[in-house]
Amino acid sequence: MGLNDSSPGAMRNGRGLSDQWAESVVVRPRTTERHITVHKKLVLGFALSILTLIIVTAVAVVLSVRYEECGTRDGPPEVGSRAAGGSARLNGSRDRATDRGEEEVQPWRTSRLPGTLRPRHYELRLAVCMDNFTFSGDVSIEIECVNATRFIVLHTDRLEVDRVSVTAEGSGGGRLTNRPGGGVMRIHRHFAFPLNQMYVVVLHRELKPMRLYRLNISFDAAIEDELLGFFRSSYTLHREKRYLAVTQFSPIHARKAFPCFDEPIYKATFSLTLRHDPQYLSLSNMPVESSVLTEEDGWVTDRFSRTPRMSTYYLAWAVCNFTYRETQTDSGVTIRLYARPDAISSGAGDYALHITKRLLGFYQDYFQVQYSLPKLDLLAVPKHPYAAMENWGLNVFVEQKILLDAEVSSSSYQMELTMVVVHEICHQWFGDLVTPVWWEDVWLKEGFAHFFEYVGTDFLFPKWNMEKQRFLTDVLHEVMLLDGLSSSHPISQEVQQATDIDRVFDWIAYKKGAALIRMLANVMGQPLFQKGLNDYLLSHMYSNAARDDLWNKLSQAMRSEGRDIDIGEMMDRWTLQMGYPVVTISKNQSEQLPTHYIIVSQEHFLYGQDPRSNNSLQWQVPLTVAVGNASMISTEKLIWINNKTEMHRIGEVHENTWLLGNINQTGYFRVNYDLQNWKLLIQQLHSNPQIISIGNRAGLIDDAFNLARAGYIPQNIPLQLIGYLPEESSFLPWHAASRVLYQLDKLLDRTDEYSLFSDYVLKQVASRYHQMGWPSPGPGNEGNILQASYQTEELQRELIMLACSFGNKQCHRQAVAYISDWISSNKNRIPPNIRDIVYCTGVSLMDEDVWEFIWMKFHSSGAVSEKKILLEALTCSDNTFLLNRLLNLSLSSDLVPEQDVIDVIIHVGRNPQGRDLAWKYFREKWDILNARYGEALFMNSKLIGGVTEFLNTEKELNELKEFIQNSGVGAGPALPRALEIVEGNVRWHRLHRRQFYQWLRKPQNSNGFNG
């Protein structure tokens, strides 16, 4: 009966057959011929039933196999595995149905890993051959099954997989066994699926939940030359070319070096073993546990200690023949800086080593969480796609962001280097220890690290006052330019495809993230902010976190002090919406209400909308307001703005009392006023600017110029406002003015009436420039960056740059004299702090011989900071032949370092004589540039933005549109943003240029006002 039950043919007419059989057997006598005939027919029917069953089963098996093969057409299956062969077999109808259901899902076809498995530990063994730039390896991954599956799906990219095997962990203390529950798993097949950079292992039977398994993969690969994955670099020592190899895995390039679950959520521990030629040393996240010299081949095998739980993109290693300097913290952490032997012997790494030791102590005190590893290495490499990478315990820096030659480096270069180191050390907590769950919240680590660049630098050098001053111009003002575009995006943005990941690493994530964190820290107050961060780090250490986890901990900290503010509700408006508001404050004009009421409104600030139709976005704005007059300013008052328009009671406001919003620019928004209040603020700046804080003076300049550019206020207001600058003695407002004037300069530098603008700027600069003068000649005379006069030095530098850039004759003569003295004496007596200005000015004014002299010095200089400014100076020439030559040499030869090529093209484009050249060159070489830099996060975006941001004619706009139409695929959001910026430039010329020049032509009185 069981056979009948299992036979489809018998099921259709089984009842008749069963009756016939019963009738013949039981009722009728068996002796007649007719009986025998009936028996023969019954036997024949039975045989046919069996044959039908066999045929149907065979057809089902064939169809099932063909279906599986069709399902893997994009990734052709390998014929089994060397470790465990794989012929198909039938495991019963129920298993087959389950398998078929999973085949239909095909998890390798989705962009994310399926989540059915979780890695616990990687045992990774690599042999690195520097002679032919290849490496081979095998990885053994201990994985935990979360949900039953026959598929192991993980990431590989450009790896040649050799052997694959899977074993089930036995129950005996984690040892592999062959008894039931353990042993080798049969592999059906394994194959690559390149579309999603995945590798698939299909098993015969399911992995069971709550069980441990071990996946073993052997592979080979090349040490690439493209700055991602495991790549090679070189340098010259004693005229000998030497090579090194180092990793760059963030965000999705660990898969280029070993098979892994390459998503941040899949944290695991790692044990790494590296074999290499003994002339090299190897580094990794953890200290070397053992080092063995093998007699057979003479190679060294270094085994590193097991790491804590971390994401794959923080694993790192390097093979090089560098030397090092070291120091040790009070808590016993060993800090080493590795670099070229000549850089180490010259002491170029000592400064970074010194501040790193202090910074580890600072962060441990601030976060109240200890640094987790026994050592921290800083590795300076000649070539790297980014300034630095925060691999846990092995931070990698490009040389020019960590090596410092005190004799030739400017204070601004030292400051930049300092902040890069501060940023990376912060990542040891925000990033390495607590990692964002997914890339949509990358700002959780990058925003914090960027914010702490300024907080940590203030700890090192309190007199610099970075967080209250330079943060405004270098972070807040800069990112607001980008975030005021309709092509901007929320700081938390959805990421689906691997190709989407690159676009979240932009200035919105870094700088807007930092600005929002600073705003939040000021709302909460320092003690509660630190308390919340401490709780957040302790709760999620060695794990992952999302933005809501941070908001919850900060809200708890607020509630602990009786302040019931829902941080999540407030901050979601800022993180999930693009852009920022312009808050307009005006005095109450209604006769029904007393004068101590003000009207406050908010709307989405945009450069390009006229009229502004998109007015749907709203924010919870923590607005601080003060009132002032000619001699005093009141204490600030915090007002929460939740609606489009609100009325608030403020201190008594008279006719000559002005209002000031966003005190010290702690908020991430612009502030506008009624025209009468603007007039009162401008009068205050001209009569007694010190009443208004340095931060707010810088903020008024930036807000006024950008509100005018976007059409919110007339063009004359910012020009009248900067008329007070001859009275300004502080660096920050000058720096804010310099930045907005630079933007205007590039809009106007090819117009017929340009001299009207340059003369007006020089008029504001002249008196303060002559008062400050030039620094004393000669390297080293300025003293070290540690000196207290940093702000004075920076102001002097800013004034010299403005004077020389806008054509001050005395400034030009001084620069030419310095260059001439250098050429004639072969001694560079130009003060390091202004070398970039002098080099550029000299190259632009002097003949071709000077360009050749600077070109020669660029090649002979050994100081990385000096090489950088010499190369940039070459782009300042007015000679288009020389500019063209430089462009061609940069891309087609080894004379210009690969990471500097983009800077060369951008700087040529900033030169009005080179703008057309750079724009044309960029379009002609786009395919080469995109192939070389397209995968390296910032680089393509930086190049596109840098080359296009100052295009401002209808012709150039049409050329950009044509370029986007023909070649815009693969550039992400950079091209739409470039198009919007150029459209805005063209629109400004059409709408505002005439009014702008018209005001400049009018005679002005001593206060900058004209009739």
Side-chain angles (χ1 to χ4, degrees), residues 841-913:
T841 305
V843 166
S844 69
L845 295 173
M846 301 169 81
D847 59 20
E848 188 175 333
D849 290 342
V850 172
W851 193 93
E852 296 289 356
F853 175 78
I854 297 291
W855 176 249
M856 177 192 71
K857 290 295 182 183
F858 165 69
H859 288 294
S860 62
S861 174
V864 289
S865 61
E866 183 76 353
K867 289 181 82 72
K868 182 176 183 287
I869 60 173
L870 285 165
L871 183 60
E872 287 177 5
L874 294 166
T875 69
C876 298
S877 175
D878 285 351
N879 186 323
T880 54
F881 169 77
L882 292 175
L883 293 176
N884 230 344
R885 178 181 159 197
L886 181 62
L887 286 171
N888 287 316
L889 283 171
S890 66
L891 198 58
S892 60
S893 72
D894 292 333
L895 297 174
V896 175
E898 192 171 335
Q899 66 263 30
D900 293 332
V901 172
I902 285 176
D903 288 328
V904 168
I905 300 170
I906 290 172
H907 280 86
V908 170
R910 288 176 180 171
N911 180 344
Q913 306 303 319

Side-chain angles (χ1 to χ4, degrees), residues 623-670:
L623 174 66
T624 46
V625 184
V627 296
N629 56 35
S631 58
M632 58 82 66
I633 186 170
S634 71
T635 306
E636 66 187 73
K637 179 179 180 181
L638 174 62
I639 301 171
W640 284 96
I641 311 299
N642 298 305
N643 303 302
K644 286 289 180 189
T645 303
E646 298 183 5
M647 193 169 289
H648 288 273
R649 185 186 177 97
I650 198 76
E652 201 163 332
V653 179
H654 301 292
E655 187 179 336
N656 292 323
T657 305
W658 41 260
L659 299 163
L660 185 66
N662 198 12
I663 305 305
N664 295 320
Q665 286 212 294
T666 55
Y668 184 70
F669 47 87
R670 296 197 185 281

Side-chain angles (χ1 to χ4, degrees), residues 36 58 155 206 219 229 291 321 335 364 413 525 642 677 750 898 967:
I36 294 169
H155 289 108
E206 284 186 338
F219 57 95
S291 188
N321 43 24
I335 306 170
Q364 288 181 151
Y413 177 84
N642 298 305
N677 199 75
R750 296 180 293 176
E898 192 171 335
S967 315

